[in-house]
Amino acid sequence: MPQPRLGFIGLGLMGDPMTRRLLDAGFDVTVWNRTVEKCAPLLEAGATLAGSIAELMQCVDVVMLCLANTAVVEDVVFGEGGVATHGRAGQRLIDLSSSDPAATRAFAEKLEEECGMCWVDAPVSGGVAGAEAGSLAIMCGGTEADVEAVRFLLAPLSARVTHMGPVGAGQVTKVCNQMIVGCQAAVIAEMVALAEASGVDAGRLTEALAGGFADSKPFQILTPRMAASEYADPAWHLRTLLKDLDMAMAQSQRAGSATPMSGLAAQLLRVHVNRGHAEHDPATLVEAYRRKEN
């Protein structure tokens, strides 16, 4: 059987390397992005450019989204000239974005009603490095048949694909992931500042704690950047982490499940965002705790 033709919408920090992985795996990929300039490097890598979502939908079997937030997903899918307008039964949508779980379930129902397309939510964890290496952890929501049908498409992007349940379950799992990451980012900032204030070389913390119970990917990534005050070229942004923690708070209210630590982490991040750090590396959180010289 011929390989399915893929469409990819959203060519940012994560979308660009994921598209490259799909191209390297031999897939025919058509791309569309609101900022057309971001498509140029991928065209050189072998992608085909669509002039509109309508043009993309006409020539693909599966469309993949990797977008900034729930509102952008809704606009791309259901806005004027969006995916729903031009989709057809038999096509599949894979949402790799981190989106609100309740909204995702509503979007899936609406998309099927409007054009017959099925929806798989497949948020990812692993950052830009994971996208480039094809080592992402992907957590999926959808019917068993739909998830199994797209598993081989996700293989070039991932070290692991886990089917977590019906549509929306993947997004709930990503929220759980981000609760851990957000709380860790907040306490790592406190920890680095405490070490410095106590006369300890914070640059040696990753060496000292490697392999112990405190070791983790956020610890390994954030601690050296905090200790060295290296914030240039962030691989992720504070606003993105705060957005995910806010989704965790919304989900906790729906589920009636207490999340006090994640709520505190969200408020600490919000204070830092409101001080002008929305587009900055989460490593800048340490600056909120460092002693300021008079």
Side-chain angles (χ1 to χ4, degrees):
M1 294 179 62
Q3 287 188 323
R5 301 162 299 171
L6 307 182
F8 208 107
I9 299 176
L11 306 174
L13 288 173
M14 297 291 288
D16 180 289
M18 284 196 277
T19 301
R20 292 179 185 276
R21 295 284 309 179
L22 293 167
L23 289 167
D24 289 344
F27 288 104
D28 178 345
V29 185
T30 299
V31 298
W32 182 85
N33 199 72
R34 291 181 175 186
T35 307
V36 179
E37 291 75 16
K38 290 186 177 181
C39 298
L42 290 168
L43 303 185
E44 296 176 4
T48 301
L49 176 65
S52 64
I53 294 177
E55 184 178 324
L56 181 143
M57 294 303 296
Q58 288 172 2
C59 65
V60 304
D61 304 300
V62 177
V63 59
M64 296 179 166
L65 310 180
C66 189
L67 301 169
N69 53 51
T70 307
V72 179
V73 170
E74 182 175 20
D75 186 52
V76 165
V77 178
F78 299 108
E80 183 177 356
V83 171
T85 303
H86 303 285
R88 60 187 182 275
Q91 288 178 312
R92 286 188 170 91
L93 182 148
I94 304 174
D95 184 20
L96 299 153
S97 322
S98 294
S99 299
D100 180 79
T104 293
R105 288 190 287 268
F107 293 166
E109 292 177 5
K110 184 177 180 181
L111 185 67
E112 186 172 14
E113 290 173 0
E114 292 193 5
C115 67
M117 288 181 67
C118 66
W119 189 296
V120 173
D121 51 302
V124 307
S125 182
V128 175
E132 291 173 344
S135 59
L136 295 169
I138 302 183
M139 47 224 80
C140 292
T143 68
E144 184 174 353
D146 286 336
V147 172
E148 289 306 311
V150 303
R151 189 178 289 273
F152 78 105
L153 303 178
L154 300 175
L157 312 178
S158 62
R160 182 174 60 261
V161 175
T162 308
H163 182 198
M164 296 303 296
V167 170
Q171 298 296 355
V172 172
T173 307
K174 179 60 184 288
V175 161
C176 294
N177 181 88
Q178 296 303 86
M179 290 168 68
I180 296 172
V181 173
C183 288
Q184 283 188 324
V187 78
I188 289 168
E190 293 182 19
M191 176 269 303
V192 169
L194 173 64
E196 292 173 345
S198 303
V200 169
D201 181 1
R204 300 194 64 191
L205 287 168
T206 49
E207 174 190 353
L209 304 184
F213 278 7
D215 201 2
S216 67
K217 282 292 179 65
F219 172 75
Q220 294 167 6
I221 294 169
L222 288 172
T223 305
R225 291 178 72 84
M226 289 180 178
S229 300
E230 292 180 354
Y231 310 133
D233 302 319
W236 53 329
H237 301 107
L238 204 62
R239 60 170 168 77
T240 303
L241 186 53
L242 177 57
K243 177 261 297 183
D244 291 342
L245 285 176
D246 282 341
M247 287 195 300
M249 296 303 96
Q251 186 62 28
S252 75
Q253 291 179 355
R254 296 184 196 111
S257 182
T259 51
M261 298 300 293
S262 298
L264 177 57
Q267 294 308 316
L268 292 170
L269 266 64
R270 198 179 320 282
V271 169
H272 206 56
V273 163
N274 290 340
R275 289 175 177 165
H277 297 285
E279 301 299 322
H280 296 166
D281 193 312
T284 60
L285 282 167
V286 72
E287 299 299 336
Y289 298 98
R290 281 182 168 142
R291 294 175 179 174
K292 302 295 188 281
E293 298 295 334
N294 294 327

